[in-house]
Amino acid sequence: MSKRKGIILAGGSGTRLYPITLAVSKQLMPIYDKPMIYYPLSTLIQAGISEIMVITTPIDMPMFRNLLGDGSRFGVKLSYAVQPKPEGLAQALIIAEDFLAGQASALILGDNLFHGAELTRDLLAAGEKIEGATIFAYQVNNPHRYGVVEFNGHDTAISIEEKPENPKSSFAVTGLYFYDEHAPTYAQSITPSERGELEITDLNKIYLGKGNLSVKRLHSGTTWLDTGTPDSMMQAAQFVQVLERRQGIRISCPEAAAFKQGWISASELKKLAAPLEKSGYGKYLLQLAAHEI
């Protein structure tokens, strides 16, 4: 179990998904067979992180509490905080400062999906790094939409730009960031961008300038999807559907991830699955508890 604490940023107004997000947070919407927030929550559990803060809007917080509770059924301890306005991803570190209490953190965006055979290894390696920050890069065909990492001939990151018109590489920074205990202090030193936000790229640049930023290229067998548009939500749902139907599994189930960590027992998993047994999700959890597949 990691001493590092987790943060899921599930705020924002979801304007790119209007009108479907006018009444509900996008992170509560389904990606195939489960709520979107189950995917980042499962990733943090997979990283061995058991203390997690969900940061969301004042309006949406009661719905997240209703869905996730105190986290005990996932074998974790969940707490909640409010981001009144979408004033930048780096603001999450400031909001969570008291929660972190001087400990290292892993920040994941609530609309990001990660899956892959090598993912656990990469997560654990990032979590073991005591000083500095670790971020992940993923090759995309539309890098201008993201923060972009430039590498030198030795595969060392030398620059990061936020949504550049002329990207210096095709490697985008994913929405998963591992930081040491200094992140909240560094975040407070950032000047808001032209759009009035504390940019996560600027926080990463601070670590880069100090020579304390590791950029890990995700393994070619790992999938990263962000789900901020109707098209990307549909693509993510199709990816999950194809994978689960072909392999007969369920991916990014927090209960299953916690069970595999040994945080909940087989008998506890059966109790959790019982109210869900009419769904494929519940049947999978019961099968997992019975056979430890």
Side-chain angles (χ1 to χ4, degrees), residues 35-46:
M36 186 186 295
I37 197 170
Y38 272 32
Y39 294 88
L41 176 59
S42 297
T43 298
L44 291 182
I45 294 173
Q46 196 173 347

Side-chain angles (χ1 to χ4, degrees), residues 15-287:
T15 53
R16 289 185 296 167
L17 288 165
Y18 276 2
I20 56 177
T21 52
L22 284 172
V24 63
S25 167
K26 67 178 178 181
Q27 291 89 359
L28 291 168
M29 300 182 69
I31 299 297
Y32 186 49
D33 59 350
K34 61 189 73 72
M36 186 186 295
I37 197 170
Y38 272 32
Y39 294 88
L41 176 59
S42 297
T43 298
L44 291 182
I45 294 173
Q46 196 173 347
I49 296 171
S50 61
E51 288 190 61
I52 300 168
M53 170 171 277
V54 177
I55 298 177
T56 186
T57 68
I59 294 175
D60 294 321
M61 184 184 287
M63 289 182 281
F64 281 101
R65 285 186 180 275
N66 186 51
L67 174 67
L68 303 174
D70 63 1
S72 57
R73 78 171 184 269
F74 308 121
V76 301
K77 181 180 180 181
L78 287 180
S79 56
Y80 299 85
V82 165
Q83 185 183 38
K85 299 178 182 178
E87 294 179 334
L89 306 185
Q91 189 184 44
L93 279 306
I94 300 173
I95 294 171
E97 184 173 17
D98 289 343
F99 163 73
L100 295 175
Q103 290 185 248
S105 61
L107 168 65
I108 189 168
L109 305 187
D111 62 356
N112 274 222
L113 183 159
F114 294 85
H115 178 73
E118 303 295 328
L119 181 61
T120 298
R121 183 194 65 182
D122 290 340
L123 295 174
L124 295 177
E128 289 173 359
K129 191 171 184 287
I130 298 173
E131 296 182 356
T134 299
I135 61 176
F136 298 91
Y138 191 86
Q139 193 163 16
V140 297
N141 62 9
N142 52 352
H144 61 277
R145 287 183 50 204
Y146 304 97
V148 175
V149 182
E150 177 189 9
F151 296 93
N152 64 16
H154 302 286
D155 284 341
T156 300
I158 57 175
S159 76
I160 306 176
E161 294 180 280
E162 180 66 22
K163 296 182 174 66
E165 291 185 11
N166 299 299
K168 294 179 180 178
S169 84
S170 59
F171 283 92
V173 177
T174 73
L176 176 60
Y177 319 86
F178 284 71
Y179 295 117
D180 64 16
E181 72 275 15
H182 301 299
T185 301
Y186 293 160
Q188 290 171 15
S189 72
I190 295 173
T191 301
S193 64
E194 292 182 358
R195 57 180 184 168
E197 296 191 5
L198 301 180
E199 305 289 355
I200 201 73
T201 293
D202 289 336
L203 178 57
N204 293 332
K205 283 181 177 179
I206 292 175
Y207 281 100
L208 181 64
K210 294 178 178 293
N212 247 344
L213 180 71
S214 296
V215 182
K216 169 69 176 177
R217 298 191 196 193
L218 285 173
H219 191 271
S220 59
T222 298
T223 297
W224 166 60
L225 299 168
D226 70 334
T227 55
T229 68
D231 282 347
S232 60
M233 283 185 66
M234 179 67 72
Q235 290 164 3
Q238 290 172 337
F239 167 79
V240 175
Q241 180 193 41
V242 170
L243 187 67
E244 292 189 347
R245 285 193 173 183
R246 172 159 295 196
Q247 297 187 3
I249 61 170
R250 292 291 188 275
I251 68 168
S252 297
C253 303
E255 300 95 337
F259 176 65
K260 291 175 182 178
Q261 289 281 14
W263 297 350
I264 57 177
S265 66
S267 61
E268 289 171 328
L269 186 60
K270 288 179 182 178
K271 290 180 182 178
L272 293 169
L276 311 173
E277 63 180 346
K278 290 185 179 181
S279 70
Y281 188 98
K283 290 176 182 176
Y284 172 73
L285 295 182
L286 287 170
Q287 184 182 8

